[in-house]
Amino acid sequence: MRVEYINSFITSLDHTFQTMLDCSVARGRPAVKNSSTPKFEISGVIGLSGKAVGTVVLSFSRDVALQAASHMLMCEAKEINAEVIDAVGELTNMVAGGAKAQLAEYELMVSLPNVITGRNHAVRFPSDVTPLCVPFESKWGPLSLEVGFSPIREPAHA
Amino acid sequence: MRVEYINSFITSLDHTFQTMLDCSVARGRPAVKNSSTPKFEISGVIGLSGKAVGTVVLSFSRDVALQAASHMLMCEAKEINAEVIDAVGELTNMVAGGAKAQLAEYELMVSLPNVITGRNHAVRFPSDVTPLCVPFESKWGPLSLEVGFSPIREPAHA
């Protein structure tokens, strides 16, 4: 999969935030993830499989997660509870789903969205995968999109 | 998907640890995850999609991760580095792959294994999914297997 795949995810995130949250996002420069890539407190993670195999990670600062969930729930979320987890998972699902539609030739299927919490968590990829990380700024604070696809991958052992 | 699916993952974990690590595991009682479920420092996460959609999470205490990686790498791993991350991801991939073979009627595909690090991380599922958590003990310490499938899931929005 060529690195242009990242554009489908960027477009999808932009569209999802605009339509679901009425929130514009300003995109920073896509870069290969390294140790200075900022970490956020809450991350939605969803797997993709088909003719390519990959993962989408959407990481939010606490404020972005709470404000986005408040908008979706139409009531103020004050802590990272099950409703906020669901909102972050659903946003991740929608970003992955929108990109999947643009990458039809890979016949991707999305897995279940999981949400990782914990102030110092890191979501790591296999070392043969080079994920691209895209920072965004929103009116609620920073977030990031990270997408990695495996170039070649053996079928899992039976 | 009926809860018996968990047996395929238990068998696969047992087989993977025995053949890859020469390590027997003693299984505890499967239970629905709750707030008292122990958290470990490093978790392999892999998505499954097909006629069912789910996630497998394999969580290791630090010692189990280091010892398992040392066995696979045939040299002593002293810290959670890229090689240990890869080893945990590969074990997760193998556990998912073995179970997938036993659950052929669901035509599951596995996504890329990601590995979550961070002392207080939690891997959360959508609230309409009830993951089953199975504790294990090994000669290196405790680990856990967690698997959740979505009963019904709308296709992701385009």
Side-chain angles (χ1 to χ4, degrees):
Chain A
M1 192 173 254
R2 292 162 64 204
V3 295
E4 287 80 4
Y5 71 77
I6 196 71
N7 294 327
S8 302
F9 291 91
I10 291 170
T11 307
S12 182
L13 188 149
D14 189 74
H15 178 76
T16 301
F17 266 64
Q18 199 66 63
T19 55
M20 290 300 294
L21 304 175
D22 195 21
C23 178
S24 298
V25 289
R27 178 174 70 76
R29 197 187 175 81
V32 171
K33 188 181 183 182
N34 61 42
S35 56
S36 68
T37 305
K39 289 182 189 172
F40 296 117
E41 197 171 331
I42 180 163
S43 300
V45 177
I46 196 162
L48 297 157
S49 44
K51 291 187 177 172
V53 181
T55 308
V56 185
V57 183
L58 212 58
S59 289
F60 292 161
S61 61
R62 185 182 174 84
D63 280 350
V64 173
L66 292 176
Q67 295 289 340
S70 298
H71 192 96
M72 288 171 79
L73 299 164
M74 291 183 287
C75 73
E76 194 185 351
K78 290 182 178 164
E79 47 163 5
I80 307 290
N81 56 21
E83 286 74 32
V84 176
I85 300 287
D86 276 353
V88 171
E90 191 50 30
L91 288 169
T92 311
N93 195 41
M94 293 174 80
V95 170
K100 173 184 111 122
Q102 294 173 57
L103 296 166
E105 70 269 33
Y106 295 102
E107 298 174 19
L108 298 173
M109 292 200 297
V110 297
S111 72
L112 210 56
N114 285 92
V115 174
I116 317 297
T117 56
R119 220 158 265 179
N120 282 305
H121 78 263
V123 179
R124 308 279 298 257
F125 282 73
S127 57
D128 61 350
V129 173
T130 306
L132 284 175
C133 189
V134 189
F136 289 87
E137 269 298 328
S138 76
K139 63 185 173 190
W140 300 319
L143 58 142
S144 75
L145 167 71
E146 192 179 351
V147 188
F149 277 94
S150 178
I152 34 154
R153 188 126 202 120
E154 298 294 314
H157 302 222
Chain B
M1 192 174 252
R2 293 164 63 204
V3 294
E4 288 80 3
Y5 71 77
I6 196 70
N7 293 328
S8 302
F9 291 91
I10 292 170
T11 307
S12 182
L13 188 151
D14 189 75
H15 179 76
T16 301
F17 266 64
Q18 199 67 62
T19 54
M20 291 300 294
L21 304 175
D22 195 21
C23 178
S24 297
V25 289
R27 179 173 70 76
R29 198 187 175 82
V32 172
K33 188 181 184 181
N34 61 41
S35 56
S36 68
T37 304
K39 289 182 189 171
F40 296 117
E41 197 173 330
I42 180 164
S43 300
V45 177
I46 196 162
L48 296 157
S49 45
K51 291 188 178 171
V53 181
T55 309
V56 185
V57 184
L58 212 59
S59 289
F60 292 160
S61 60
R62 185 180 174 83
D63 279 351
V64 173
L66 293 177
Q67 295 289 339
S70 297
H71 191 97
M72 288 171 80
L73 298 164
M74 292 184 286
C75 72
E76 194 184 351
K78 290 182 178 165
E79 48 163 3
I80 306 289
N81 56 21
E83 287 74 31
V84 175
I85 300 287
D86 276 352
V88 171
E90 192 49 32
L91 288 169
T92 310
N93 195 41
M94 293 174 81
V95 170
K100 173 184 110 122
Q102 294 173 57
L103 297 165
E105 70 269 34
Y106 294 102
E107 299 173 17
L108 298 172
M109 291 200 296
V110 298
S111 72
L112 210 55
N114 285 93
V115 174
I116 318 296
T117 56
R119 221 159 262 179
N120 282 305
H121 78 264
V123 180
R124 307 280 298 259
F125 283 73
S127 58
D128 62 348
V129 173
T130 306
L132 284 174
C133 188
V134 189
F136 289 87
E137 270 296 330
S138 75
K139 62 186 174 190
W140 300 319
L143 57 143
S144 75
L145 167 72
E146 193 178 349
V147 188
F149 277 95
S150 178
I152 33 155
R153 190 127 200 118
E154 297 295 314
H157 301 224

